Amino acid sequence: AQSVTQLGSHVSVSEGALVLLRCNYSSSVPPYLFWYVQYPNQGLQLLLKYTSAATLVKGINGFEAEFKKSETSFHLTKPSAHMSDAAEYFCAVSGPLGNEKLTFGTGTRLTIIP
Amino acid sequence: DGGITQSPKYLFRKEGQNVTLSCEQNLNHDAMYWYRQDPGQGLRLIYYSQIVNDFQKGDIAEGYSVSREKKESFPLTVTSAQKNPTAFYLCAGSQGRELFFGEGSRLTVL
């Protein structure tokens, strides 16, 4: 079974500063990893996904994540935070089979300080 | 527009009443899912269906029921047996691993 752990339920950064949201995974097979974003009272939207093609994955809104097998990590970063980045972010994992369900982390709420 | 449509967006229910949340999709997705979201707990899977007329329990199925009579529709019934039904409910569809979510339904039990 796969699982993910998101370190830090709340993260605050200043506008223009680096955003770093942490995600560590546990999987006995090569994982597929995802980051989703949720704005208040809305559904989740896919930011980016790792599917073994490349370890550095670029997503929407300037976000990117790097798959590090040695650290079992898939941290989400953005060089310069914008006020519109304030939201909740979820890391998720599934196994290599096409019909496997996603398992989500508990989420990290990102606050941007003006 | 294509997507996952959930209704109603807000719903209030008295204790002891069943309530059905609607989820419709026009993306031709084979698989559909229902998640429950509570603060600090992330998303927990209630039920999922990978094909019409078939569905499986997720991690927290007790007190919930679903049906999948049409590919486009996957309604969720929150029964009176669900002890703590107040939550935000999210429906999703997928073709492959990527999930596409609806806007959610917030259920409050009074």
Side-chain angles (χ1 to χ4, degrees):
Chain A
Q2 294 83 37
S3 65
V4 288
T5 301
Q6 292 184 242
L7 299 176
S9 58
H10 292 85
V11 171
S12 296
V13 301
S14 298
E15 190 175 15
L18 172 71
V19 175
L20 171 60
L21 303 182
R22 299 177 187 274
C23 174
N24 288 88
Y25 70 90
S26 173
S27 178
S28 58
V29 296
Y32 283 64
L33 293 158
F34 306 79
W35 276 100
Y36 283 84
V37 61
Q38 184 182 34
Y39 299 100
N41 291 313
Q42 293 187 22
L44 278 69
Q45 178 184 4
L46 182 68
L47 271 178
L48 49 81
K49 59 184 177 184
Y50 167 75
T51 58
S52 77
T55 57
L56 183 61
V57 182
K58 294 186 183 300
I60 62 172
N61 302 338
F63 284 93
E64 63 182 37
E66 186 172 8
F67 174 73
K68 292 187 176 181
K69 185 177 179 180
S70 61
E71 299 177 8
T72 61
S73 68
F74 190 58
H75 302 331
L76 181 71
T77 61
K78 182 174 180 178
S80 177
H82 191 273
M83 294 301 294
S84 62
D85 294 328
E88 189 152 22
Y89 292 80
F90 292 92
C91 183
V93 64
S94 75
L97 299 177
N99 61 351
E100 292 192 47
K101 308 180 298 297
L102 262 65
T103 299
F104 287 85
T106 53
T108 297
R109 184 168 299 279
L110 177 64
T111 300
I112 310 299
I113 304 167
Chain B
D1 287 348
I4 308 287
T5 302
Q6 291 186 239
S7 62
K9 190 167 179 65
Y10 298 95
L11 186 62
F12 297 88
R13 186 193 96 178
K14 293 182 179 180
E15 282 191 23
Q17 289 181 335
N18 293 355
V19 62
T20 297
L21 307 180
S22 170
C23 179
E24 303 281 331
Q25 57 108 352
N26 59 6
L27 300 171
N28 201 35
H29 287 168
D30 290 321
M32 297 186 75
Y33 305 79
W34 274 106
Y35 288 90
R36 171 180 171 141
Q37 185 177 16
D38 298 281
Q41 297 193 48
L43 277 70
R44 292 182 291 169
L45 183 63
I46 304 172
Y47 268 98
Y48 65 102
S49 168
Q50 295 179 316
I51 194 170
V52 174
N53 292 322
D54 188 42
F55 48 83
Q56 286 78 42
K57 293 182 179 179
D59 301 317
I60 56 165
E62 184 176 352
Y64 300 97
S65 66
V66 293
S67 63
R68 188 85 186 276
E69 297 176 359
K70 300 185 301 181
K71 188 175 186 177
E72 300 79 16
S73 179
F74 191 42
L76 173 74
T77 297
V78 184
T79 75
S80 56
Q82 169 50 234
K83 298 188 186 314
N84 186 19
T86 294
F88 191 53
Y89 292 89
L90 287 160
C91 179
S94 75
Q95 198 76 24
R97 290 180 184 78
E98 183 175 343
L99 293 181
F100 295 84
F101 285 86
E103 293 287 292
S105 293
R106 186 168 297 281
L107 172 63
T108 303
V109 174
L110 304 173

